Amino acid sequence: MSAVLGTVPQRHGYSERRRWLILALLFAITVVNFVDRQTLSVLAPVVRQNLHLSNEAYGRIVSAFQFGMMTGELPMGALMDRFGARIVLAGAVLWWSGATSAQAFTKSGFQLGLARLWMGTGECGNYSGGIKVLTQLFRKENRTLAIGIFNSGSMIGSTIAPPIIVWLLQRHGYRSAFLVAASLGLLWVPLWLLLYRNPPAKEEHRDTKPERSVWELFAQRSVWAVMMCRFFIGPVMQFYWYWIPNYLFHERHVSMSGIGYVAWIPFVLGDIGGVAGGWSAGALEKRGLRVYSVRRITMYLSALLCIVSLFVPFAKGLLLAYLLIGVSMLADNFLSANMFGAITDLFPESEVGRVTGFTGLAAGLSGLLFPLLTGYLVDHVSYTPVFFLIGIMPMMGAAALFLLGSPAYRQLQETR
């Protein structure tokens, strides 16, 4: 695998073997992150019944989590850039694990919404910390593949969550699933503190431009390019995470046991898409294509493939619906790997944490609004317009990145 990445013996003092171990830990905590997130979505039919929640009420709870993500993104990104990912990421994991466990003790929709808001303020640190660390550890030509592997943890977490959570539900009750999910983060933190060290400041900031303030960054057109890209792309996968179990249960009449057995299948394709997106970008660069061309090819083609989700509501059989959902998730995760790669294209290491935080703020805003819209449309219309929206939003995100970010990419090419 190291030959695939083509890494050099040392980067910021890390051997190749240690870089891989750190990437494995970041992959693992992303798996944990999404098991924690998916716990509620898998249990949604049961939780809604126990707490007497409508689709709109459930949408508000999903939005509460996204609001927490949105409000936590900028502080978390700034903390990552200021103090490094070693302590800040460990603290974020402990913080969101506490919120995950708190959900086991909620007795109303309001309490559950508060716990999800708390959870969101910590979980946003996973990406700002992970992207920052990978920017430090891997050179630009290999970074998108590393990011794709890291991001594929979201799909693995979403893949393993349904069978595990349904098994816990059937044997120990739904509240036990939250407690088990929370314990995973507590096991991860000691390993992270043992293995990872922040690079010395003089190494982290070498060969970079003078550090810009948050407000100077916010005024940059390239920051708005990646923000708008994530604004449109973010809610797509969130829909699959939070609403597919509900869709299968209420529209396709799949039992909870059936959800546990088969709901993970589309996420396997999503996982393949994340790794393939990173590998494809690296392969194209090694063939001599400039990074701007690489991003346009990979992102526009994968955004075009996302359109297959428009046909999900009209699929006659469950197998075809699963296939269409899986292909859409593959394409969206392929696109996401290159979206995060674009952040590392356009910004130096010292700014990656904050810029990722800005994009998370944009994703948090759309992630807050879209579940509210989804809940309303499902209650008053159907799932059909929702599948239409998530089919076209990836193309809107890719177009926004290249319309707003093309000057920065041209400048980048001139300096290489």
Side-chain angles (χ1 to χ4, degrees):
M1 183 67 80
S2 61
V4 176
L5 279 175
T7 50
V8 294
Q10 296 284 330
R11 178 153 172 85
H12 288 318
Y14 284 99
S15 68
E16 183 175 0
R17 178 175 179 272
R18 193 165 182 177
R19 286 200 300 275
W20 273 101
L21 288 173
I22 293 169
L23 175 57
L25 275 182
L26 290 171
F27 169 84
I29 196 56
T30 306
V31 172
V32 172
N33 185 299
F34 282 85
V35 168
D36 289 359
R37 293 191 197 191
Q38 283 293 95
T39 301
L40 177 60
S41 63
V42 172
L43 295 173
V46 176
V47 172
R48 285 181 53 200
Q49 183 178 9
N50 277 269
L51 300 183
H52 310 292
L53 303 173
S54 66
N55 282 308
E56 288 187 74
Y58 176 68
R60 289 194 293 269
I61 291 169
V62 173
S63 290
F65 172 78
Q66 294 302 138
F67 183 74
M69 292 275 286
M70 183 177 67
T71 56
E73 286 282 3
L74 284 182
M76 196 66 73
L79 288 170
M80 295 289 179
D81 283 341
R82 176 67 178 84
F83 299 106
R86 182 173 185 262
I87 297 298
V88 179
L89 182 54
V93 173
L94 293 174
W95 180 253
W96 91 56
S97 297
T100 303
S101 65
Q103 292 170 75
F105 306 103
T106 58
K107 296 180 180 180
S108 69
F110 178 74
Q111 291 177 355
L112 183 57
L114 286 180
R116 295 295 287 186
L117 185 148
W118 168 12
M119 183 181 181
T121 60
E123 286 213 343
C124 59
N126 188 76
Y127 274 86
S128 54
I131 298 297
K132 182 175 180 64
V133 171
L134 295 178
T135 303
Q136 295 165 348
L137 296 184
F138 294 91
R139 297 186 181 278
K140 284 185 178 292
E141 61 268 23
N142 308 309
R143 203 172 286 157
T144 307
L145 175 55
I147 291 171
I149 294 170
F150 158 70
N151 189 46
S152 70
S154 64
M155 295 294 99
I156 294 294
S158 301
T159 299
I160 66 175
I164 293 173
I165 291 167
V166 170
W167 184 86
L168 289 168
L169 164 70
Q170 293 175 338
R171 283 160 179 76
H172 305 288
Y174 80 85
R175 298 182 188 276
S176 68
F178 291 109
L179 297 175
V180 171
S183 69
L184 300 176
L186 303 181
L187 297 174
W188 180 88
V189 168
L191 296 174
W192 175 252
L193 295 176
L194 179 66
L195 187 63
Y196 180 73
R197 296 289 185 275
N198 294 326
K202 65 180 180 180
E203 292 188 24
E204 183 177 359
H205 295 277
R206 69 186 178 185
D207 299 327
T208 65
K209 299 176 182 178
E211 186 172 323
R212 293 176 286 189
S213 69
V214 168
W215 295 112
E216 288 174 323
L217 280 174
F218 192 65
Q220 298 298 309
R221 179 170 170 167
S222 52
V223 171
W224 281 94
V226 291
M227 284 177 64
M228 293 306 297
C229 183
R230 197 170 174 190
F231 177 89
F232 286 111
I233 293 174
V236 175
M237 197 58 68
Q238 291 164 13
F239 170 78
Y240 289 122
W241 290 326
Y242 303 136
W243 291 91
I244 285 301
N246 256 319
Y247 172 74
L248 294 174
F249 186 82
H250 291 288
E251 302 297 319
R252 296 286 178 170
H253 309 295
V254 180
S255 67
M256 285 303 299
S257 295
I259 289 173
Y261 287 132
V262 299
W264 56 271
I265 295 173
F267 291 97
V268 173
L269 288 174
D271 184 53
I272 293 170
V275 177
W279 178 85
S280 299
L284 290 172
E285 284 194 51
K286 288 176 182 177
R287 287 180 174 273
L289 272 71
R290 292 190 173 186
V291 66
Y292 186 36
S293 298
V294 169
R295 298 297 179 219
R296 283 190 297 177
I297 291 170
T298 55
M299 295 183 73
Y300 275 133
L301 288 179
S302 55
L304 188 64
L305 189 57
C306 288
I307 294 175
V308 300
S309 70
L310 273 65
F311 304 103
V312 172
F314 308 105
K316 296 298 183 183
L318 185 61
L319 180 61
L320 179 58
Y322 266 50
L323 178 62
L324 293 172
I325 291 170
V327 170
S328 180
M329 292 174 71
L330 182 151
D332 189 71
N333 224 32
F334 190 108
L335 180 60
S336 293
N338 283 276
M339 174 188 69
F340 286 116
I343 297 173
T344 69
D345 294 339
L346 300 174
F347 302 94
E349 293 175 20
S350 60
E351 296 176 350
V352 164
R354 283 169 293 164
V355 173
T356 305
F358 273 123
T359 68
L361 181 67
L365 178 59
S366 60
L368 185 155
L369 297 174
F370 196 74
L372 297 176
L373 177 61
T374 300
Y376 177 84
L377 289 174
V378 171
D379 274 345
H380 297 280
V381 186
S382 70
Y383 275 95
T384 300
V386 182
F387 278 107
F388 174 81
L389 288 172
I390 63 171
I392 64 172
M393 286 167 64
M395 184 62 73
M396 296 168 69
L401 173 66
F402 298 120
L403 287 172
L404 294 173
S406 56
Y409 267 112
R410 284 195 294 268
Q411 184 179 4
L412 179 67
Q413 291 183 167
E414 291 170 0
T415 60
R416 291 188 177 179

